[in-house]
Amino acid sequence: MDSYFKNFYEKLYSRTGGFVPSKPLNQNMYPGDFFQIINGEMIVLGNIFRNNIINKDDYNLEYGIKQNAASWNFSEGISKPYSLRDVDKSSGRSFKYSKQLIGFKELGSFFFKSNNVESIKISDWSNIKNQLIIKMTQVLYSFRELYIVTESAVASDWTLAISGSEKGELELATEEEIFGLIDLFGSESAKTIQARDIEYYHRETKKNPIFFKAKKLVVKQEKLEVFISELISNRRTHSDWVDNFFDYDFESTTNESTTNESSPSIINSQSSILDMLQANELNPNTALLYFDWADINLDDVEKLFPVYGV
């Protein structure tokens, strides 16, 4: 199921300047919620305001921030083979109706429409980010991986359809009088006549905050670079140490890939640097030297769609 949604999640992130849909898609995400991504799911652990992690006088919330409508209405891989107006006499009564057939070109093709999108955000993140680092990693908790929602978006209504194959189709109709070009998708009056190979189709009319921006806890780049440099240096001399220490002919050679700075195992070593610190080296007084906050990005969206068995 996850693979069907991935394309939509990535495109919404790019089109809206960093908003991510919740996962599962019906989970509300409020400013201040902190969560982890575990097995492709967002596990909300608490809220910095409800848990009194941040004092009331230290933060401000900004409401009703209007979002660009064009950024919140888009599609990929769809076609509209035909739309028409006709008269139906089969039911014993004659009435006019408008009909539209929407085709989806491939698995993961989608159609997304929303109206009146606005957001609520933490407006003074810079004032609280340092105390959050200290409290979330040392004083109150000992997180090493963490996300905090900084902005939530809501719409008066939104509609999303995602295809499960290259033969996906939606046939919609309405009895309302429509002038000009017919576009029924997302319309309140539209009725679904047929849905073929559609993996997900939902119209939401409640203002639920399922779209959000977040900050993630990261190791500071300068600390990471020093750690990577030392790690590479140690790996390059490891085979020499093996030859000198063990009284055995291992015929060991240094694997070039393990000393390459582009090696994913080295680049993705944010937690390793913390594990290698000496006891008590990381404490409330030094936490700001090691941790920082970064915007959630497409790499994090990728974590929502883990590939198993690879």
Side-chain angles (χ1 to χ4, degrees), residues 169-186:
E169 285 185 351
L170 268 181
E171 188 174 4
L172 308 172
T174 181
E175 294 182 45
E176 288 191 358
E177 187 71 24
I178 298 178
F179 299 97
L181 296 175
I182 299 175
D183 192 355
L184 298 181
F185 187 80

Side-chain angles (χ1 to χ4, degrees), residues 28-255:
N28 293 337
M29 305 293 286
Y30 300 96
D33 281 352
F34 55 91
F35 66 95
Q36 292 181 326
I37 298 176
I38 301 175
N39 295 327
E41 300 291 337
M42 297 175 179
I43 308 300
V44 178
L45 304 171
N47 186 287
I48 61 174
F49 306 127
R50 181 179 181 181
N51 295 53
N52 296 316
I53 296 170
I54 297 297
N55 295 325
K56 187 175 182 180
D57 295 335
D58 292 342
Y59 67 86
N60 289 296
L61 296 174
E62 184 178 354
Y63 297 88
I65 304 170
K66 302 298 182 183
Q67 301 296 309
N68 184 348
S71 299
W72 288 84
N73 289 275
F74 55 96
S75 62
E76 183 170 286
I78 71 160
S79 61
K80 301 174 185 177
Y82 68 81
S83 58
L84 56 83
R85 296 178 180 86
D86 205 344
V87 177
D88 189 344
K89 299 180 180 179
S90 61
S91 62
R93 66 186 183 91
S94 177
F95 64 90
K96 294 180 180 180
Y97 68 95
S98 299
K99 183 167 69 172
Q100 182 178 31
L101 180 66
I102 301 172
F104 296 77
K105 296 180 179 179
E106 58 188 7
L107 182 151
S109 294
F110 65 86
F111 201 159
F112 176 68
K113 272 197 170 184
S114 63
N115 290 299
N116 308 312
V117 182
E118 60 183 25
S119 67
I120 305 95
K121 69 180 294 185
I122 301 173
S123 60
D124 51 358
W125 173 258
S126 60
N127 293 338
I128 64 175
K129 63 178 185 178
N130 285 347
Q131 61 171 303
L132 279 174
I133 287 175
I134 295 172
K135 290 181 178 180
M136 302 306 272
T137 67
Q138 298 298 309
V139 177
L140 299 178
Y141 303 99
S142 56
F143 287 115
R144 297 296 179 262
E145 295 183 9
L146 188 70
Y147 300 83
I148 297 181
V149 176
T150 57
E151 187 171 3
S152 299
V154 298
S156 60
D157 63 89
W158 59 267
T159 307
L160 172 64
I162 300 177
S163 179
S165 79
E166 70 281 2
K167 298 179 180 179
E169 285 185 351
L170 268 181
E171 188 174 4
L172 308 172
T174 181
E175 294 182 45
E176 288 191 358
E177 187 71 24
I178 298 178
F179 299 97
L181 296 175
I182 299 175
D183 192 355
L184 298 181
F185 187 80
S187 171
E188 183 179 1
S189 66
K191 307 297 182 184
T192 304
I193 305 302
Q194 175 182 259
R196 174 187 176 188
D197 288 354
I198 299 300
E199 177 67 24
Y200 180 86
Y201 183 31
H202 179 71
R203 185 174 190 272
E204 181 59 64
T205 58
K206 295 180 180 179
K207 298 176 74 172
N208 295 329
I210 68 164
F211 309 104
F212 68 94
K213 290 184 177 181
K215 297 286 186 180
K216 63 177 177 179
L217 191 66
V218 297
V219 175
K220 280 193 170 182
Q221 186 62 30
E222 54 267 33
K223 292 291 185 181
L224 192 57
E225 289 175 355
V226 171
F227 173 74
I228 291 174
S229 178
E230 293 176 350
L231 185 61
I232 292 172
S233 177
N234 287 335
R235 288 188 178 186
R236 283 174 176 163
T237 60
H238 188 67
S239 60
D240 292 337
W241 174 83
V242 168
D243 291 339
N244 292 327
F245 183 80
F246 294 101
D247 187 18
Y248 188 83
D249 184 12
F250 283 107
E251 298 184 353
S252 57
T253 57
T254 300
N255 189 330

